[in-house]
Amino acid sequence: MKMMIKVFAIALSMITFFANAEIVTVGFKSTVSYSDNPDISVGETIDISLTYDTASAFDGGNIYFDISPGSNITATFENGLVVNTNPAAPNKIDMYSYSYEVAPATFNYDTNFHSYDAVSNTAATVMNMDLLLSNVVSTNPNNALRVTWDDDVSAFSIKDFNVMIDGLFVQSTITEISTAPESPVTVEATTYSAPISSYGGRLYFIRDVINTSTNTVEIKRWAYITWPDGTHYNRDSPKKFILDPMEQNIQTSAYFTVPSYWPAGTYEYHLNSIVVQDGQGNEGTVSQDSFMFTKE
């Protein structure tokens, strides 16, 4: 038993932790202020949804590249036209973040979201969609991505949604910002396995689910694996859990066997949960985390 504990302690010391991914969804309403498109009139309302991953790759400058499968920008127009990020796009959203001091303890904070590969529900061709936002904050974000949306829409000096449809420019001004409820449950997945050999083998990992609220929460938890070519492999079906207030459900020696016939490359394991019931209006909220592993 002592030997097993020692081996496990060594394995834990070798864990490489990855930043926890947080998927943020924000809703916007905007009013068209200028339109070259005869099918979209000034004064019309656009409903916009933005979903992005706060752990997206950073280019070292001011750009974050979001390649998460669920990340997208969707805009719905009054005439029934819907434009959204192309699900097949390798890079879903380019996110620009820049902050600079304009006065003591006063910083201008620009965060822009661009979708350069977009499609529509009609024959219309969409060239790009751009969400442009800027406001003044009291603490320097140091070019970090915006992760909270507590500011009132009136606090933004720039709040535009622009789109090119059939080569015709449409500009609108954002009038409302709303965020979905956050899940009271957090999930974390980390691995302490070496690369899997070409002969296959076991991938060991830690799976941690925590109820951060003071209420009993019923959830469903499931996992899937993204292959090197983007294929989704369903690891297991959703399982129901009931978590007491502040309860932690952790598995420190979870594993699954990677077959020898799986192709070589980099894989990503995704752990997910959705709230079924908590009595606080958080039903349907999702939490996610993931880690990368390789097979030789």
Side-chain angles (χ1 to χ4, degrees):
M1 177 62 73
K2 289 183 178 179
M3 178 61 70
M4 291 179 64
I5 293 173
K6 182 177 180 180
V7 170
F8 182 67
I10 293 172
L12 282 177
S13 69
M14 297 172 63
I15 294 174
T16 300
F17 287 95
F18 295 86
N20 292 336
E22 180 183 358
I23 307 301
V24 175
T25 297
V26 191
F28 304 89
K29 284 187 181 294
S30 68
T31 301
V32 176
S33 55
Y34 177 86
S35 177
D36 287 328
N37 193 309
D39 297 324
I40 300 171
S41 302
V42 171
E44 289 188 11
T45 298
I46 308 173
D47 288 307
I48 307 156
S49 175
L50 165 68
T51 298
Y52 66 101
D53 186 346
T54 62
S56 296
F58 183 46
D59 76 343
N62 301 100
I63 304 294
Y64 295 79
F65 299 104
D66 191 345
I67 61 173
S68 295
S71 296
N72 68 85
I73 301 173
T74 300
T76 303
F77 294 79
E78 287 189 11
N79 63 4
L81 175 67
V82 179
V83 298
N84 58 273
T85 302
N86 186 351
N91 196 49
K92 302 299 188 293
I93 305 174
D94 288 2
M95 300 178 288
Y96 170 87
S97 187
Y98 180 58
S99 56
Y100 57 94
E101 189 172 21
V102 293
T106 305
F107 302 87
N108 204 74
Y109 186 25
D110 299 339
T111 46
N112 302 333
F113 301 83
H114 307 277
S115 182
Y116 294 117
D117 187 352
V119 294
S120 75
N121 64 339
T122 68
T125 300
V126 185
M127 294 179 62
N128 61 277
M129 293 185 288
D130 307 295
L131 269 167
L132 311 176
L133 297 146
S134 180
N135 67 324
V136 173
V137 295
S138 58
T139 303
N140 190 357
N142 292 312
N143 301 335
L145 270 179
R146 189 183 298 271
V147 295
T148 60
W149 295 85
D150 300 328
D151 295 306
D152 187 84
V153 67
S154 62
F156 290 86
S157 57
I158 298 175
K159 43 190 173 183
D160 295 340
F161 173 72
N162 303 328
V163 59
M164 289 285 288
I165 303 172
D166 289 333
L168 301 172
F169 180 65
V170 177
Q171 182 178 34
S172 66
T173 301
I174 294 169
T175 57
E176 294 181 26
I177 301 175
S178 60
T179 55
E182 292 187 6
S183 175
V185 174
T186 63
V187 297
E188 293 185 11
T190 50
T191 182
Y192 51 92
S193 280
I196 305 300
S197 77
S198 59
Y199 299 102
R202 285 185 174 182
L203 177 76
Y204 290 93
F205 59 99
I206 298 172
R207 186 163 46 198
D208 193 4
V209 180
I210 305 172
N211 177 10
T212 64
S213 76
T214 56
N215 302 289
T216 299
V217 180
E218 178 183 339
I219 67 167
K220 286 193 174 182
R221 190 202 71 196
W222 74 100
Y224 67 92
I225 298 169
T226 305
W227 282 24
D229 65 356
T231 298
H232 281 209
Y233 178 88
N234 290 329
R235 168 64 193 145
D236 52 34
S237 59
K239 297 178 181 178
K240 184 176 79 171
F241 291 85
I242 295 179
L243 300 172
D244 290 329
M246 309 303 292
E247 180 182 353
Q248 179 180 24
N249 182 305
I250 184 169
Q251 295 173 278
T252 56
S253 55
Y255 73 88
F256 65 86
T257 301
V258 177
S260 60
Y261 55 82
W262 280 21
T266 300
Y267 293 75
E268 187 169 9
Y269 174 92
H270 302 262
L271 180 64
N272 314 271
S273 76
I274 185 169
V275 174
V276 177
Q277 185 175 0
D278 78 337
Q280 301 297 311
N282 295 311
E283 288 78 5
T285 55
V286 174
S287 55
Q288 302 170 310
D289 195 21
S290 64
F291 63 78
M292 313 289 284
F293 67 94
T294 57
K295 180 180 181 295
E296 298 172 341

